[in-house]
Amino acid sequence: MAENDRTAAGGTDRPEVTIKFGKGLVGEPFTSKAGKHLVEVSIPNQDADDHRPWQTFVVAPGMIHDNKFGKGVWMKLPEDGQTKVSRPVLQGQDETGRNVWSRESRMVPNTELKSMLEAYKEKSRDSVLSDLSSKRTESTHTAPKRAARNKEASR
């Protein structure tokens, strides 16, 4: 719907936040008890030392769109809105030794939800870049030896 159509239809132009994330975070579509079609989106833990289960939230599958480059997806949410985020929490074990789980839920502003899903953008890439530079120096040292071996083998 175009912006002019939205205002003509009585809707307001509310500021929106665009959230970009990977396709791997989107779960399989399901139908809720109320009959709505939904999809669950996982939020990776920002801290590498945090080994708790990931937080999740649900949205309509039509809200998630494929990125034009194919590896990611994006969605728009109202900037002033909130989304319910939950995570499974281990309560303990029952008498048979099976784990008992419950869900911990909280409301998160959509701007904070964006920062949670896009936390991968703030990660330091120094170690990756240094690994690549060391591999480049190794490959330049080994490349002439391989070429010399190939010449000797062809003779």
Side-chain angles (χ1 to χ4, degrees):
M1 186 184 299
E3 290 182 27
N4 294 340
D5 295 338
R6 186 181 300 160
T7 54
T12 60
D13 283 333
R14 293 172 46 178
E16 294 178 326
V17 59
T18 302
I19 304 173
K20 299 175 185 177
F21 51 96
K23 281 185 181 179
L25 299 177
V26 180
E28 293 295 319
F30 65 95
T31 305
S32 70
K33 291 179 184 177
K36 294 183 180 180
H37 296 289
L38 300 171
V39 67
E40 185 176 51
V41 178
S42 300
I43 305 169
N45 295 331
Q46 293 175 357
D47 185 14
D49 296 330
D50 187 1
H51 298 292
R52 298 179 297 170
W54 288 359
Q55 298 182 57
T56 60
F57 65 95
V58 295
V59 293
M63 294 178 68
I64 299 176
H65 309 283
D66 285 335
N67 192 349
K68 65 181 179 181
F69 301 112
K71 295 196 178 195
V73 293
W74 60 273
M75 64 184 289
K76 285 191 176 190
L77 294 172
E79 188 175 356
D80 58 350
Q82 292 187 340
T83 302
K84 183 178 182 180
V85 175
S86 63
R87 102 168 51 222
V89 177
L90 182 63
Q91 293 294 339
Q93 294 184 339
D94 61 7
E95 48 283 338
T96 61
R98 296 181 65 188
N99 291 340
V100 178
W101 294 87
S102 69
R103 291 200 77 77
E104 172 187 278
S105 300
R106 64 188 176 108
M107 294 302 286
V108 175
N110 290 339
T111 53
E112 184 180 336
L113 182 66
K114 176 183 172 78
S115 66
M116 290 166 62
L117 271 167
E118 295 181 356
Y120 66 92
K121 292 180 179 179
E122 282 96 39
K123 282 189 179 178
S124 173
R125 296 174 55 108
D126 294 336
S127 62
V128 174
L129 293 174
S130 65
D131 290 346
L132 287 174
S133 64
S134 66
K135 286 182 181 179
R136 279 190 196 128
T137 57
E138 289 174 10
S139 66
T140 56
H141 294 302
T142 59
K145 292 178 185 176
R146 288 183 188 153
R149 281 187 217 150
N150 291 338
K151 286 181 182 177
E152 289 175 11
S154 65
R155 290 182 183 177

